[in-house]
């Protein structure tokens, strides 16, 4: 056997040993870490959405009653308030911004009455405020309002137009789809966006009809897991349960979306809005404000501006918190965040105040673990807590904590 062959054999043996060693490390790694490694190979190639998007969307409050002045004034407020510094950077125009028909070249055209300056001019204005702009489209032949053309058959042309306008975010709805499979329709726009020459966050608004959590990560950055939200307590409760089912599929680059925030629109109490916001943050849902920020109350601004709750949503670990205990409308939700910490939500869905307990066994901690407890709404810290965490929680309210294990 020549020296060259012996050298080659030695290298091969070393490679096998190294491979076994690396495989062992991977197998021993926490499941969330293995999932992240896999996700980088599987995810959409735009490299956006490493944390859930934050911003504002026009639909929940304005629906079709939008115009460029509303968008500009919203951008002005977000940029001049603390909202932009907290991460609310997308200003998203929903349905009804375009003319009912395309132009002679097949292009989408902004409504001449409500958006007379055009989308490119509006995008330039929003960008001048240090913000990003989003727009709405549909994977069918018409949008849900029936007031705009859909993009079916025009995916490449529309994606190029969005890029030319300077669009940063596309919400892509699911109406009037002629029963064509969603994977086919949504994949076409994904490829068109990637080929457009601009990085555009891709939000699939498929309503969870075909279980997009199981396949959409390869083509988009977020996917609706539910139908539309309403400014009602029952809606928040229902959507939280529906979204919880898909918790394991959320990860950096792709997020479960139980629809936009209703905080501040007037249909719920402040305690209910606080629960709504806390749950969406824990579930790593997109935090898209849905009220008229120009006239919102100080309490609404306070809820939306809670830096400690936002930090949970934006945690780089990217693991969606989930329901771990439920009995008679009293629930414990929890999930890991960076630094071996655990976020815990005690949620009272019932009609009377009640005591709720999270045992360490419920939330993945050893019974002997001593933690420091941080209350994210009252902003105080409780040292040296062991075994369980109990609190009295008002009806439709929640308590939200971050638990930090202490060295022993």
């Amino acid at each position: 056997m020549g020296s060259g062959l012996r050298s080659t054999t030695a290298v091969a043996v070393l490679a096998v040993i190294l491979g076994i060693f690396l495989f062992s490390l991977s197998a021993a790694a926490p499941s969330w870490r293995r999932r992240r490694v896999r996700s980088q190979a599987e995810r959409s190639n735009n490299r956006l959405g490493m944390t859930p998007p934050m911003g504002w969307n026009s639909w929940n409050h304005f629906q079709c009653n939008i115009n460029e002045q509303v968008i500009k004034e919203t951008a002005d407020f977000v940029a001049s308030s603390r909202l932009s510094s907290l991460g609310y950077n997308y200003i998203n125009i929903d349905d009804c911004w375009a003319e009912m028909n395309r132009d002679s070249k097949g292009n989408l055209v902004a409504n001449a009455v409500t958006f007379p300056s055009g989308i490119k001019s509006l995008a330039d204005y929003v960008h001048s405020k240090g913000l990003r702009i989003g727009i709405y489209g549909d994977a069918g032949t018409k949008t849900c309002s029936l007031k705009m053309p859909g993009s079916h058959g025009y995916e490449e042309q529309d994606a190029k137009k969005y890029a030319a306008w300077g669009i940063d975010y596309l919400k892509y709805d699911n109406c009037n789809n002629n029963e064509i499979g969603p994977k086919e329709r949504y994949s076409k726009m994904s490829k068109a966006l990637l080929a457009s020459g601009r990085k555009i966050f891709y939000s699939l608004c498929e309503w969870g009809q075909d279980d997009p959590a199981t396949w959409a990560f390869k083509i988009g950055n977020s996917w609706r897991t539910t139908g539309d939200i309403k400014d009602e307590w029952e809606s928040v409760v229902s959507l939280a349960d529906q979204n919880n089912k898909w918790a394991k599929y959320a990860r950096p680059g792709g997020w479960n979306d139980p629809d936009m925030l209703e905080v501040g629109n007037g249909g719920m109490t402040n305690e209910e809005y606080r629960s709504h916001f806390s749950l969406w943050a824990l579930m790593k849902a997109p935090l898209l404000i849905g009220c008229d920020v120009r006239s919102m109350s100080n309490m609404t601004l306070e809820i939306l501006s809670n830096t400690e709750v936002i930090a949970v949503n934006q945690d780089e670990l990217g693991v969606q918190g989930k329901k771990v205990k439920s009995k008679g409308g009293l629930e414990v939700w929890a999930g890991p965040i960076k630094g071996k910490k655990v976020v815990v939500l005690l949620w009272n869905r019932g009609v009377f105040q009640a005591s709720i307990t999270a045992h360490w066994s419920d939330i993945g901690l050893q019974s002997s673990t001593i933690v420091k407890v941080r209350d994210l709404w009252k902003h105080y810290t409780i040292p040296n807590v062991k075994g369980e965490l109990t609190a009295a929680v008002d009806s439709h309210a929640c308590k939200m904590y971050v638990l930090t294990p202490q060295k022993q």
Side-chain angles (χ1 to χ4, degrees):
M1 182 183 293
S3 60
L5 184 56
R6 287 197 299 270
S7 175
T8 301
T9 302
V11 170
V13 171
L14 285 173
V16 170
I17 294 172
L18 180 60
I20 293 172
F21 175 70
L22 290 176
F23 177 81
S24 299
L25 284 181
S26 176
S31 60
W32 64 262
R33 186 171 295 166
R34 297 199 305 272
R35 184 183 66 194
R36 179 178 289 183
V37 171
R38 290 197 304 269
S39 72
Q40 296 307 310
E42 295 170 356
R43 66 178 297 250
S44 169
N45 293 325
N46 65 18
R47 299 295 171 187
L48 298 176
M50 298 309 290
T51 59
M54 297 175 62
W56 174 89
N57 179 283
S58 60
W59 184 258
N60 284 359
H61 184 85
F62 293 96
Q63 297 191 352
C64 279
N65 298 315
I66 54 170
N67 56 61
E68 65 181 52
Q69 192 63 29
V70 167
I71 305 304
K72 285 184 176 181
E73 290 177 359
T74 298
D76 290 343
F77 181 88
V78 171
S80 62
S81 70
R82 61 190 303 232
L83 292 176
S84 61
S85 64
L86 292 172
Y88 293 100
N89 292 321
Y90 287 106
I91 305 297
N92 293 348
I93 311 166
D94 212 283
D95 201 353
C96 307
W97 58 267
E99 293 284 2
M100 290 187 66
N101 298 301
R102 295 173 179 270
D103 68 14
S104 60
K105 296 181 179 179
N107 293 311
L108 292 169
V109 182
N111 186 292
V113 175
T114 54
F115 291 87
S117 301
I119 301 301
K120 177 66 169 66
S121 175
L122 186 55
D124 290 344
Y125 183 87
V126 172
H127 289 152
S128 75
K129 298 292 179 177
L131 302 171
R132 300 167 185 164
I133 190 167
I135 208 161
Y136 169 95
D138 191 280
T141 56
K142 287 281 187 180
T143 65
C144 294
S145 69
L146 298 177
K147 294 186 177 182
M148 286 172 45
S151 290
H152 181 62
Y154 292 86
E155 289 86 358
E156 291 186 9
Q157 185 170 357
D158 290 353
K160 289 178 181 178
K161 181 60 68 175
Y162 295 148
W165 285 340
I167 295 299
D168 304 297
Y169 184 117
L170 173 64
K171 174 184 174 181
Y172 204 48
D173 220 333
N174 193 36
C175 287
N176 305 300
N177 57 51
N178 296 332
E179 299 184 354
I180 299 170
K183 293 182 184 179
E184 177 186 347
R185 290 181 288 109
Y186 281 91
S187 293
K188 284 184 178 179
M189 180 54 80
S190 175
K191 293 174 182 177
L193 291 173
L194 290 172
S196 71
R198 184 176 181 83
K199 288 188 175 183
I200 298 175
F201 185 101
Y202 187 28
S203 171
L204 286 68
C205 187
E206 189 262 2
W207 320 319
Q209 288 193 339
D210 203 47
D211 299 343
T214 63
W215 51 265
F217 185 77
K218 295 181 180 180
I219 63 175
N221 304 109
S222 68
W223 44 85
R224 281 277 293 279
T225 54
T226 70
D228 289 356
I229 194 170
K230 297 180 181 178
D231 189 17
E232 302 169 357
W233 176 248
E234 293 75 12
S235 177
V236 167
V237 169
S238 175
L239 268 56
D241 284 344
Q242 293 175 53
N243 192 63
N244 179 64
K245 176 181 177 182
W246 307 104
K248 70 179 182 180
Y249 294 97
R251 45 195 156 165
W255 309 102
N256 292 317
D257 179 7
D259 206 5
M260 300 165 291
L261 296 168
E262 289 283 6
V263 179
N265 277 326
M268 288 182 270
T269 67
N270 288 327
E271 285 294 345
E272 290 170 340
Y273 281 139
R274 195 175 286 111
S275 292
H276 173 24
F277 188 69
S278 299
L279 280 158
W280 264 233
L282 177 83
M283 294 191 296
K284 302 299 187 292
L287 297 182
L288 297 176
I289 299 170
C291 68
D292 186 351
V293 296
R294 303 170 303 172
S295 58
M296 67 179 170
S297 68
N298 290 334
M299 179 56 71
T300 295
L301 180 59
E302 180 181 322
I303 292 171
L304 295 171
S305 300
N306 188 319
T307 56
E308 296 189 73
V309 176
I310 290 171
V312 169
N313 179 260
Q314 296 292 296
D315 176 69
E316 66 181 43
L317 196 59
V319 177
Q320 178 175 322
K322 60 184 180 180
K323 186 188 306 188
V324 297
K325 183 178 180 181
S326 178
K327 184 176 181 180
L330 307 179
E331 298 188 347
V332 178
W333 294 57
I337 56 176
K338 184 182 177 183
K340 299 182 179 179
K341 300 177 183 179
V342 179
V343 57
V344 175
L345 188 77
L346 307 181
W347 187 26
N348 183 354
R349 292 160 58 149
V351 296
F352 301 106
Q353 184 190 75
S355 179
I356 305 176
T357 297
H359 298 282
W360 277 196
S361 58
D362 299 327
I363 60 177
L365 293 176
Q366 296 293 324
S367 60
S368 60
T369 303
I370 298 173
V371 304
K372 177 176 65 177
V373 177
R374 178 67 176 177
D375 188 312
L376 303 191
W377 284 106
K378 293 190 175 179
H379 307 295
Y380 67 79
T381 301
I382 308 169
N384 303 323
V385 179
K386 181 180 177 181
E388 63 183 39
L389 177 65
T390 300
V393 184
D394 290 337
S395 170
H396 293 189
C398 73
K399 302 280 188 179
M400 192 172 189
Y401 308 96
V402 166
L403 278 53
T404 303
Q406 301 299 287
K407 293 182 179 179
Q408 300 177 37

